[in-house]
Amino acid sequence: MTFDPGQLGQSKADLAETLRTMRRRASRTQVWLAQRCNMSQTKLSNIETGRITPGLVDVELILRALDAPPEMVAEVAALARLANTEWQGKRASWRRGLEKRQSELAGLEMEAVTLRYFLPAMVTGLLATPEYIRASLGHSPVDISKTVAKKLDRQAVLYDNRKRFTFLLTEQAVRWSVVPRAAMAVQIDRLVSLSHLPNVHIGIIPLGSTIGRGPMNTFTIYDQRLATVETFTGRIVFQDARDIAEHLEVFGLYERHALFDEDARELIGDWATSYRS
């Protein structure tokens, strides 16, 4: 199934209608199907009315119980995966105000316990200095001051020792000159400082590391329940377990090639020095 951001919202309604129609064509009641799938009738009713979006496991149970033909299984499974994906366009975020987006991110960070960030291109806001944040927002047609303030407020979550943060940055992400050289040195110094926090692990992937899979996108994984992927024009939110598992696998691959602790601090300390020279 082709990914079309404009279809994501409609896919949830299409999935609900498809599952409801398949049950009726099979001449089965909700009570019968719910029992066969080991789920409550209330849950099945909510799935068929679109109040909740089923994961792939629930969809597979329903299709198996209804003895759906293979071609229908493939089509509905693809629809279910699309229904568990959300598109958040950048222009819509601008209209709402980027500070509201920061509040949403803060909510995700507060709910999660294990947070993983893969950063192939730039430093993320949680690790950034005020000057770096302001410069990175220069292209956004919004009130930058409010967004900078919200991003800085979010950084307090790093000091919550109940949470574990792992940030993987490529050499490009660390050294990409968003601000003048002296300010870049300060930004890199901040990475060194934060790497000493007991619950914050900052890994660096130097240029020249041999890794078969290219760093295509910035992405974040919240526990094992949600992953977000950044693009130039917006953000894709994955909630399907298979998509999240694949991002965890990719993250693990990059993590195994990263330098941590003193090795990382020594390397990025040299980069800071080069910016000061």
Side-chain angles (χ1 to χ4, degrees):
M1 179 174 290
T2 302
F3 174 76
D4 178 358
Q7 293 179 349
L8 291 181
Q10 183 60 37
S11 66
K12 298 178 188 292
D14 290 344
L15 177 62
E17 182 180 354
T18 299
L19 294 174
R20 183 172 64 251
T21 300
M22 289 178 66
R23 176 183 60 78
R24 289 174 175 172
R25 286 179 177 172
S27 299
R28 298 298 186 180
T29 65
Q30 282 189 349
V31 172
W32 181 91
L33 183 56
Q35 290 175 345
R36 290 294 297 269
C37 297
N38 196 28
M39 68 175 67
S40 69
Q41 184 185 354
T42 299
K43 179 177 179 179
L44 181 59
S45 175
N46 286 334
I47 288 173
E48 290 191 353
T49 56
R51 291 190 183 93
I52 64 174
T53 302
L56 279 184
V57 172
D58 286 332
V59 171
E60 288 174 355
L61 286 172
I62 292 171
L63 294 174
R64 192 178 303 124
L66 295 175
D67 197 23
E71 62 273 12
M72 181 61 74
V73 171
E75 181 179 340
V76 178
L79 186 61
R81 194 164 190 173
L82 195 58
N84 279 276
T85 304
E86 179 184 351
W87 170 256
Q88 298 175 347
K90 187 158 289 185
R91 290 178 179 82
S93 293
W94 288 342
R95 288 194 297 271
R96 292 171 57 237
L98 287 184
E99 68 277 7
K100 293 182 180 178
R101 172 62 188 160
Q102 295 306 307
S103 297
E104 293 169 359
L105 288 173
L108 287 173
E109 290 154 1
M110 289 300 293
E111 291 175 8
V113 175
T114 303
L115 301 96
R116 301 172 175 88
Y117 301 79
F118 178 61
L119 307 166
M122 288 178 62
V123 173
T124 189
L126 286 180
L127 304 177
T129 63
E131 187 170 356
Y132 189 102
I133 293 172
R134 184 172 292 277
S136 68
L137 292 170
H139 66 285
S140 305
V142 294
D143 186 334
I144 292 177
S145 296
K146 288 183 179 179
T147 305
V148 171
K150 286 284 189 180
K151 280 180 175 280
L152 293 175
D153 287 344
R154 280 175 51 213
Q155 294 177 356
V157 75
L158 295 174
Y159 301 90
D160 184 345
N161 288 325
R162 296 169 298 179
K163 300 179 183 295
R164 177 184 174 88
F165 297 86
T166 304
F167 298 90
L168 299 182
L169 299 94
T170 65
E171 180 173 339
Q172 172 175 300
V174 177
R175 303 184 72 175
W176 189 266
S177 296
V178 175
V179 289
R181 295 181 65 86
M184 280 299 300
V186 174
Q187 172 59 66
I188 296 173
D189 287 341
R190 176 165 171 75
L191 297 179
V192 174
S193 177
L194 290 174
S195 73
H196 287 284
L197 292 175
N199 62 320
V200 175
H201 304 272
I202 296 179
I204 304 298
I205 304 173
L207 288 174
S209 302
T210 303
I211 307 176
R213 195 157 187 175
M216 296 179 64
N217 297 96
T218 295
F219 64 85
T220 305
I221 309 170
Y222 300 90
D223 294 327
Q224 295 187 12
R225 61 184 180 84
L226 188 146
T228 64
V229 176
E230 304 284 340
T231 73
F232 276 114
T233 56
R235 180 180 298 103
I236 306 170
V237 181
F238 294 102
Q239 300 181 68
D240 184 82
R242 298 184 189 185
D243 291 317
I244 296 168
E246 184 162 352
H247 281 89
L248 284 169
E249 181 182 341
V250 172
F251 191 90
L253 170 66
Y254 293 141
E255 189 173 17
R256 291 191 293 273
H257 287 81
L259 301 177
F260 287 91
D261 302 322
E262 287 305 321
D263 290 335
R265 287 190 278 268
E266 181 179 354
L267 181 62
I268 60 180
D270 290 342
W271 296 341
T273 299
S274 72
Y275 275 110
R276 289 191 173 93
S277 63

